[in-house]
Amino acid sequence: MSITAQNVSKRFGDFVALDNVSVECPAGQLVALLGPSGSGKTTLLRIIAGLEEPDTGSVLFKDDDVTRHSAKDRKVGFVFQHYALFKHMTVFENVAFGLRVRKAAEDKVQHRVMELLRLVRLEEKAKHFPGELSGGQRQRIALVRALAPDPEVLLLDEPFGALDAKVRAELRSWLRRFHDEFHVTSIFVTHDQEEAFEVADQVVVMNKGKVEQVGTPIEVFEHPATAFVMDFLGNVNKLPVRVEGGKALLGNSGTVELPTKLFSTNDSGKIDAYIRPHELDISRTAEGGNCMIAKVLHINPAGSVVKVRLMAEDFGLVITVDVTPDRYRLLTLKPTEMVYVTPKSGKIFDGDYAI
Ligand code: ATP
C-alpha cells in the first residue's frame, strides 16, 4: 500500500514544524526521512501514523484519505527509539499483544509469535522479560511485535538511535532483511545518513520543515540538489570560490580554477564550492599548473582509502583528500612535506541551480 503526504503543514504555536511538505512512499518500499534534529521528521511520521493532525494537507493510504482517521484505524505498526516493550509481559506476550487485541485464535497466536521469534533468533527468550534482554535484542522484539498483526504500514522513529554503533549496524541489516521478506511499506526516521543510505530504497532529505530532496541513495549522493544536502551528507571540502568571467576560482585571491561547468554567465562574486575528498589529486609536481601548494598535516591510512589532511597556506584552507592505497604507496607521503593538490571536479550551488 502506498503512502502519500500531500501539502502537509503543521505549526506548534508560532513555530512552523512542517511547511507544505509532500512525500510519496510507493507500495512495498522502504523510505527514510533524513535530516538534522528539529527538521520535522518525527512530526511528519506522527501525522502519517495518525498520532498528530496536520493543520492543512492530507495523508493518503493508497487512494484512501485517512487524514481524519484515528491511529487505531490505520493498521500501522510503530517502532520507537526506546523499545516501548511492556516490562511486565514476557517476550512472547509482547509479540502476541497486537494479535490478542485483535482477538486472534490461540493456535494462530502461538504459531505466528514463535515464527517471528525464530526469524529474529530469539525463540529461546520467549519466556524472558524485556529487562533480561540486551538493547539490540529488545529492539528486534519491538520490530517483530510491530509486524505480528500484519500491518499494512510500518513506521519507525529512530529505531536504532539508543544503541551502540556495532548493534546499530547489525540491526540495519535485520531491518532490510525483514523488509525484503515482508514488503510492508515502511517509513523510518533517522538523522544518520549512513543508516538511511544503507537501508532505504528512497531517501527524503528534510530541513527546517521542508523537503530538500527526494531520491534513491545513489541519486542523492551523486547529485545533491542543494548546498544543504551536500553539507549534511558530510565528508566534503567546503571551499570559497570567486566566480569571475565565467570561471570558478578557488580562494579569495587565488587563480586555481575549479573544473566545473558554469551555467550562469553572471559573475556571482564569492560563493562556496563543495569538493569531495576523492575529487582532488595529490602530486609531487605541479602537473598541469592548475594546483595549490599544500603541506601534509595528517595521514590516516586505516580504511579502504587513505585520508590525507593538508594545509594550503596561500588559500588559508585545510583540505581533506582521499587517495587509493596504491597511489599513497607511490607518493610515499609524510607529514610536513609540501605537495601539489589539483581539483578534478566540484559543485557550486548558486541560487536556483547547481553546477
Ligand atoms: P529529532 O531528530 O530531534 O527528533 P525531528 O526532525 O524529528 O527532530 P520534530 O520532532 O518533528 O523534529 O520537531 C520539529 C520541531 O517541532 C522541533 O523544533 C520541535 O521542538 C517542534 N515540536 C515538535 N513537537 C512539538 C510539540 N508537541 N509542541 C511544540 N513544539 C513541537
Side-chain angles (χ1 to χ4, degrees):
M1 184 164 69
S2 61
I3 306 168
T4 311
Q6 269 174 352
N7 309 108
V8 167
S9 293
K10 178 77 184 172
R11 278 173 174 272
F12 295 107
D14 286 342
F15 182 78
V16 180
L18 292 174
D19 185 4
N20 200 27
V21 166
S22 294
V23 166
E24 214 181 316
C25 179
Q29 283 213 348
L30 178 52
V31 169
L33 302 181
L34 172 69
S37 185
S39 54
K41 311 176 297 285
T42 297
T43 304
L44 181 59
L45 198 77
R46 287 174 60 80
I47 286 173
I48 291 169
L51 298 169
E52 197 86 65
E53 262 198 47
D55 298 335
T56 56
S58 44
V59 176
L60 306 184
F61 282 6
K62 208 171 168 205
D63 300 323
D64 285 345
D65 188 333
V66 297
T67 318
R68 310 285 158 216
H69 292 192
S70 71
K72 194 159 83 2
D73 294 334
R74 294 194 193 189
K75 285 187 136 186
V76 163
F78 221 122
V79 182
F80 299 94
Q81 178 171 350
H82 292 288
Y83 329 118
L85 296 178
F86 303 118
K87 290 192 187 108
H88 61 285
M89 283 187 192
T90 62
V91 162
F92 183 97
E93 286 305 323
N94 262 285
V95 180
F97 183 78
L99 296 166
R100 296 217 191 281
V101 168
R102 285 166 185 76
K103 309 224 179 315
E106 189 55 32
D107 58 339
K108 189 183 166 203
V109 174
Q110 291 291 330
H111 180 261
R112 177 80 174 147
V113 173
M114 289 317 290
E115 179 195 23
L116 287 167
L117 288 179
R118 263 193 300 281
L119 267 177
V120 281
R121 302 217 190 94
L122 286 172
E123 65 265 45
E124 79 283 5
K125 301 284 187 194
K127 295 195 172 108
H128 288 242
F129 287 88
E132 299 169 292
L133 303 181
S134 72
Q137 289 172 335
R138 275 183 245 173
Q139 210 52 328
R140 268 145 68 190
I141 297 298
L143 200 55
V144 287
R145 184 181 65 169
L147 287 167
D150 273 328
E152 300 208 33
V153 170
L154 183 64
L155 303 176
L156 307 105
D157 192 357
E158 295 266 6
F160 315 136
L163 303 166
D164 67 51
K166 189 165 172 287
V167 181
R168 276 179 89 109
E170 202 181 288
L171 283 188
R172 273 181 218 161
S173 53
W174 275 108
L175 177 60
R176 189 62 231 186
R177 254 184 284 161
F178 267 106
H179 187 76
D180 292 339
E181 180 130 349
F182 294 97
H183 296 290
V184 180
T185 309
S186 307
I187 302 182
F188 85 105
V189 160
T190 182
H191 59 260
D192 179 341
Q193 56 119 334
E194 202 181 307
E195 191 159 285
F197 280 25
E198 196 176 313
V199 173
D201 299 306
Q202 293 274 334
V203 178
V204 177
V205 187
M206 295 185 65
N207 177 35
K208 294 184 181 159
K210 290 188 185 227
V211 172
E212 292 267 338
Q213 188 171 9
V214 180
T216 62
I218 289 177
E219 282 163 1
V220 173
F221 185 77
E222 290 188 350
H223 306 288
T226 62
F228 170 83
V229 177
M230 187 95 208
D231 229 352
F232 185 71
L233 298 183
N235 194 23
V236 68
N237 294 291
K238 186 173 165 183
L239 308 180
V241 294
R242 274 178 304 128
V243 176
E244 246 179 51
K247 289 181 174 177
L249 302 170
L250 280 179
N252 290 325
S253 56
T255 51
V256 176
E257 189 181 344
L258 185 66
T260 189
K261 206 169 141 207
L262 294 170
F263 294 130
S264 166
T265 49
N266 296 333
D267 291 351
S268 52
K270 287 179 188 169
I271 194 165
D272 285 325
Y274 293 83
I275 311 179
R276 289 195 162 129
H278 68 270
E279 295 174 320
L280 292 152
D281 246 352
I282 297 179
S283 54
R284 288 271 177 201
T285 54
E287 292 158 14
N290 189 45
C291 51
M292 298 177 270
I293 299 174
K295 184 198 236 177
V296 177
L297 297 177
H298 184 259
I299 300 167
N300 177 4
S304 53
V305 291
V306 178
K307 292 209 159 287
V308 186
R309 206 166 69 241
L310 308 106
M311 176 77 192
E313 264 166 24
D314 292 350
F315 296 83
L317 298 172
V318 174
I319 317 161
T320 302
V321 181
D322 286 351
V323 293
T324 63
D326 283 351
R327 178 89 183 135
Y328 170 63
R329 271 189 291 275
L330 206 69
L331 286 165
T332 59
L333 293 179
K334 286 183 196 65
T336 74
E337 281 182 329
M338 301 305 287
V339 290
Y340 296 91
V341 176
T342 307
K344 293 180 286 179
S345 58
K347 273 193 164 46
I348 296 172
F349 299 90
D350 186 3
D352 294 336
Y353 61 89
I355 48 183

